[in-house]
Amino acid sequence: MSEPLLTLTGLSKSFPGVKALDRVSLELYPGQVTALIGENGAGKSTLVKSMTGIYQPDEGVIKIRGKPVSLPSPHAAFGLGITAIHQETVLFDELTVGENIFLGHAPKTGFGTIDWSRLRQKSRDVLSEMGAAHINPSSILKELGIANKHLVAVARAMSIKADIVIMDEPTAALSHKEIKDLFDLIEHLKNSGKAILFISHKFDEIYRIAERFTVFRDGQFIGKGLIDDTDQSQIVQMMVGRSVDQIYPQKKATIGSPVLSVAHLSHPTEFNDISFALNKGEILGFYGLVGSGRSEVMQALFGITTPSAGTVTLQDTNVDFNSPADAIDAGIVYVPEERGKQGVVVDLPIFQNVSLPSLGKTSRNGFLQLAKEFTLVRDYATRLDLRAASLSQHAGTLSGGNQQKVVVAKWLATQPKVIILDEPTKGIDIGSKAAVHEFMGDLASQGLSVIMVSSELPEILGMSDRVVVMREGLIVDIYKNDDALTSERLVMAAAGINDGALS
């Protein structure tokens, strides 16, 4: 067995009120993928930031090829061959693709200026090597969709000759084909002798790509092992300290009459002729590949964009939203996919984030009442199993999954008639997924109508009463979720392979 390329021993990191890492250990081997597994708040993101020079550990030793190293800055980590592909892409919308890829290490001319021709050519080479030759290095980043932006982030990480590659939820925004392409790239990196740390909550991905695993829980090292020697139930029990037998709750809701009706809704560039009904107490799933127009339809329903045609009826009343405020007032709320940009205010504490749309409930005569705010927030934080040192902790210091819970709690606190959940468990661990799914089931049983946009087939099949499949801005069909509906059938419909429908 080869020696580890990177070794972490006794690493600790504390923040006010919380010990994020408590003497954890990790080993990464050349030519192998090690999966780092743990619930939200387990310390995974803190570890990544410590490995990339963003955080300085309070104690512990980091060794590369057996020699202790210091990582006082991201630039220092970069120089030692450590690169990271983060869950939330950190890119610059106003720069070109090529500028984003080579930001900070652009090729230079003999005069010390940027060699733009070489930059574009090297960008093409990197993108081609990872199967993303369709992306033009001269394109402005903001013109790209979420999936292609994520591929640019991967290309940026691949643009240096890194020996240690950290992938933090790298498939979160990718289509099935793009995930396959990424896994092909990972195999190429393994064959090149790279040591890869792979962070994912998707066990099918972990078992497909990883040779080793390490489990963290509550900031502590729990155990490690070889993937081939360990079954999923053992790892889950290590993750959560308990058995998670039921991720999807038994449906208890009674489906009522239509609450929301959408007829022939269209947008000039995003979607066309969208028609469906949402019933009281129903969870209506929306499935489709990246670029199918699912999120764009939801943004139109929430008043973020303006449709060019069609009608929306809420409880027998035609509605026309000019802004999200109009939708909220009417009783429609939207939990967005991009929580970092659209969901949380990172510089505000948790309790203010959650109470922000409900200030009328927590104020009197124009003055906020702190006790009412905390009472309102505490209930939803408890029900969603929000992991934080206190409700006064800033949202920006939370893990990605816990930020998602803050966004869900914020909108549920408004007591809406319809809640739209766009990728509600994206980046959330298996234990937290169970809590969110249980809560969704409870809401439906209480009569709330739910639209759930999801790219995860088990979630679509496990939670939806009916499933709307979209492709290229159109509704392919609406399926009743019964024993005849399979994941294969949904994928074929979304990919345009099969236009058959359930009667």
Side-chain angles (χ1 to χ4, degrees):
M1 184 183 297
S2 62
E3 293 297 314
L5 183 58
L6 179 140
T7 305
L8 309 179
T9 308
L11 215 67
S12 297
K13 179 66 180 177
S14 295
F15 300 97
V18 61
K19 192 158 192 174
L21 295 175
D22 186 8
R23 299 187 60 78
V24 299
S25 301
L26 177 71
E27 296 172 342
L28 300 182
Y29 289 82
Q32 294 187 2
V33 173
T34 299
L36 180 59
I37 305 171
E39 291 191 89
N40 295 116
K44 304 186 301 294
S45 295
T46 302
L47 182 82
V48 169
K49 290 176 180 177
S50 298
M51 291 174 65
T52 53
I54 297 172
Y55 290 160
Q56 304 308 307
D58 301 327
E59 60 179 321
V61 178
I62 302 175
K63 293 181 180 180
I64 296 179
R65 296 185 177 87
K67 296 181 179 180
V69 297
S70 175
L71 305 173
S73 68
H75 187 72
F78 201 70
L80 287 169
I82 302 174
T83 188
I85 302 162
H86 293 284
Q87 177 179 339
E88 304 290 350
T89 55
V90 182
L91 299 169
F92 298 89
D93 277 346
E94 300 301 327
L95 298 182
T96 67
V97 168
E99 288 170 331
N100 270 283
I101 291 173
F102 283 96
L103 189 67
H105 61 291
K108 300 291 181 65
T109 66
F111 300 101
T113 58
I114 294 175
D115 189 331
W116 293 106
S117 178
R118 281 181 62 212
L119 182 145
R120 286 189 289 271
Q121 185 56 53
K122 291 181 75 171
S123 298
R124 287 189 199 97
D125 292 343
V126 173
L127 290 165
S128 295
E129 184 179 359
M130 53 180 282
H134 62 281
I135 301 176
N136 186 346
S138 299
S139 296
I140 302 299
L141 190 78
K142 66 182 179 183
E143 298 171 355
L144 273 58
I146 293 173
N148 283 332
K149 284 183 180 179
H150 201 90
L151 292 175
V152 172
V154 175
R156 171 167 167 72
M158 296 298 101
S159 66
I160 67 166
K161 301 302 179 184
D163 292 320
I164 298 161
V165 181
I166 302 166
M167 296 187 170
D168 188 358
E169 298 285 351
T171 65
L174 303 185
S175 68
H176 292 288
K177 180 183 182 303
E178 289 160 342
I179 290 171
K180 180 184 179 300
D181 292 341
L182 178 65
F183 285 171
D184 290 342
L185 173 64
I186 291 173
E187 291 295 341
H188 171 73
L189 295 173
K190 286 161 64 173
N191 293 334
S192 302
K194 312 297 185 187
I196 301 168
L197 180 65
F198 187 82
I199 301 172
S200 176
H201 295 115
K202 300 176 182 178
F203 275 64
D204 58 334
E205 293 182 355
I206 290 169
Y207 273 79
R208 177 177 171 183
I209 205 68
E211 285 79 25
R212 299 173 178 271
F213 71 90
T214 294
V215 177
F216 284 4
R217 186 172 74 235
D218 297 330
Q220 296 183 323
F221 169 83
I222 300 300
K224 63 180 181 179
L226 298 175
I227 287 290
D228 287 345
D229 296 341
T230 315
D231 62 44
Q232 294 188 22
S233 62
Q234 290 175 285
I235 295 179
V236 169
Q237 202 151 3
M238 292 170 72
M239 276 177 63
V240 300
R242 63 192 185 279
S243 176
V244 179
D245 299 319
Q246 188 61 50
I247 301 174
Y248 304 106
Q250 259 190 322
K251 293 182 175 67
K252 296 170 286 187
T254 300
I255 308 300
S257 57
V259 172
L260 178 74
S261 297
V262 177
H264 310 296
L265 202 68
S266 300
H267 185 281
T269 59
E270 305 289 358
F271 52 84
N272 186 54
D273 198 27
I274 302 298
S275 299
F276 66 90
L278 173 67
N279 300 311
K280 184 175 182 179
E282 181 181 34
I283 299 177
L284 182 64
F286 267 72
Y287 179 74
L289 304 180
V290 173
S292 63
R294 301 166 305 163
S295 296
E296 289 76 10
V297 170
M298 302 309 143
Q299 289 166 7
L301 290 178
F302 191 55
I304 296 174
T305 58
T306 303
S308 57
T311 59
V312 178
T313 305
L314 182 65
Q315 290 186 325
D316 300 324
T317 302
N318 284 353
V319 292
D320 185 13
F321 302 140
N322 295 314
S323 69
D326 292 343
I328 295 166
D329 288 343
I332 298 178
V333 297
Y334 175 54
V335 178
E337 177 182 359
E338 292 196 79
R339 57 176 171 262
K341 290 183 179 179
Q342 303 168 337
V344 295
V345 183
V346 294
D347 292 326
L348 287 183
I350 293 167
F351 77 91
Q352 289 182 353
N353 265 280
V354 176
S355 67
L356 199 57
S358 307
L359 296 180
K361 299 178 183 177
T362 59
S363 58
R364 185 176 181 182
N365 298 325
F367 291 95
L368 285 171
Q369 296 182 298
L370 200 59
K372 282 189 175 181
E373 275 192 285
F374 272 91
T375 300
L376 175 78
V377 176
R378 193 174 290 114
D379 176 46
Y380 289 99
T382 300
R383 294 171 72 184
L384 283 169
D385 191 26
L386 179 65
R387 305 284 181 89
S390 74
L391 295 178
S392 297
Q393 184 177 340
H394 277 208
T397 66
L398 296 172
S399 63
N402 280 308
Q403 286 186 12
Q404 185 78 320
K405 293 180 188 178
V406 169
V407 182
V408 173
K410 174 177 74 174
W411 292 122
L412 290 178
T414 67
Q415 296 181 322
K417 301 180 183 75
V418 174
I419 184 167
I420 302 169
L421 303 170
D422 199 343
E423 302 288 359
T425 59
K426 176 183 174 181
I428 293 181
D429 60 82
I430 192 168
S432 297
K433 278 184 179 181
V436 171
H437 291 151
E438 185 70 37
F439 197 31
M440 286 172 61
D442 289 344
L443 293 170
S445 68
Q446 294 164 20
L448 182 65
S449 302
V450 180
I451 295 176
M452 181 187 69
V453 178
S454 179
S455 299
E456 295 192 26
L457 285 165
E459 183 169 66
I460 285 286
L461 291 171
M463 292 302 300
S464 306
D465 296 294
R466 290 182 300 141
V467 182
V468 178
V469 178
M470 289 190 65
R471 183 178 75 246
E472 297 178 354
L474 300 170
I475 288 180
V476 176
D477 216 317
I478 301 176
Y479 298 96
K480 182 180 179 182
N481 191 2
D482 56 20
D483 293 339
L485 188 61
T486 63
S487 57
E488 290 80 9
R489 188 170 190 184
L490 290 177
V491 170
M492 290 175 72
I497 299 170
N498 179 11
D499 288 324
L502 283 177
S503 57

